Amino acid sequence: MRLRHKPWAQDKLDAHPQYVPQQAETLRGQWQTRFAKEQPIHIEVGSGKGRFIVEMAKRHPEINYISIEIQTSVIVTVLEHQIREDLPNLQILHADGRNLNQYFAPGEVSLVYLNFSDPWPKKKHAKRRLTSPDFLAQYQEILVPEGEIHFKTDNQGLFEYSLASMSQYGLYFKQVWLDLHQSDFPDNVMTEYEEKFSSRGHRIYRMEAKFRK
């Protein structure tokens, strides 16, 4: 995806610290202080423009959400959504998803969403996939015991890799969808990519995986 540079984006992020905390590392273990209520925390790693997580925050006020995205020119769109909505259960973390344990303490998160992550199709890049063992170890560290990962993609190869990677790591699958949009899965919230890919006839894969105690 070619990103359109937005030279004003960082200034806008800096101007709204109530939504985008600065020096977010200092919030490690203290994220509940950023929300109106102390509730389970769900994070989306690689939120893109934020359609999914903003809609989830609107539908589920009983959950606190954190949008994580490294691209400044992308995450500013999440901020624009939040400025309009002013959702008390949504925060925005401008950070690299490879370093989650720098921002979250052990057991601070209840659920991790991975939506349409970069498939990194070349074998030599497998460690960069967000479902590779190194990433799974980070998720396990920050998640509560029996914490969950919810994963969606249109890439069959990445989905197959993820099934194997998670299974070998010791997760178990609550449910797996091989064609999500032809299933009876209720209340699916689509991402921007999901809408685009499904409109082209791509099959959407989804799984819910859970760590054991």
Side-chain angles (χ1 to χ4, degrees), residues 74-118:
V74 176
I75 200 170
V76 73
T77 304
V78 187
L79 174 59
E80 289 170 341
H81 286 308
Q82 176 62 325
I83 290 170
R84 289 193 295 270
E85 301 287 349
D86 191 24
L87 297 164
N89 61 332
L90 176 62
Q91 286 285 298
I92 300 167
L93 175 56
H94 185 205
D96 191 335
R98 292 178 296 182
N99 303 314
L100 294 177
N101 54 8
Q102 294 183 14
Y103 300 97
F104 299 99
E108 192 168 15
V109 176
S110 295
L111 193 149
V112 174
Y113 295 103
L114 304 174
N115 292 319
F116 298 89
S117 310
D118 192 326

Side-chain angles (χ1 to χ4, degrees), residues 114 130-133 136 139 149-151 159-173 207-211:
L114 304 174
L130 294 188
T131 51
S132 67
L136 295 178
Y139 306 147
I149 299 172
H150 292 186
F151 174 67
F159 193 72
E160 291 171 352
Y161 168 86
S162 301
L163 287 171
S165 177
M166 291 181 180
S167 178
Q168 292 163 13
Y169 195 86
L171 286 88
Y172 67 93
F173 302 103
M207 69 167 74
E208 295 180 359
K210 194 169 185 176
F211 285 97

Side-chain angles (χ1 to χ4, degrees), residues 32-75:
Q32 293 288 1
T33 65
R34 296 286 300 186
F35 297 100
K37 297 179 183 178
E38 186 168 328
Q39 304 176 138
I41 293 175
H42 293 188
I43 66 174
E44 183 184 19
V45 182
S47 293
K49 296 180 179 180
R51 173 176 171 179
F52 173 84
I53 200 159
V54 169
E55 182 60 28
M56 290 294 287
K58 290 164 66 175
R59 292 189 186 190
H60 297 283
E62 76 282 4
I63 296 170
N64 291 331
Y65 291 91
I66 300 174
S67 165
I68 303 171
E69 175 61 53
I70 191 172
Q71 297 287 352
T72 306
S73 294
V74 176
I75 200 170

Side-chain angles (χ1 to χ4, degrees), residues 10-29:
Q10 187 62 55
D11 288 341
K12 189 162 189 174
L13 295 175
D14 294 341
H16 293 85
Q18 73 273 35
Y19 302 130
V20 190
Q22 299 177 4
Q23 297 180 329
E25 299 93 336
T26 63
L27 288 169
R28 187 176 186 268

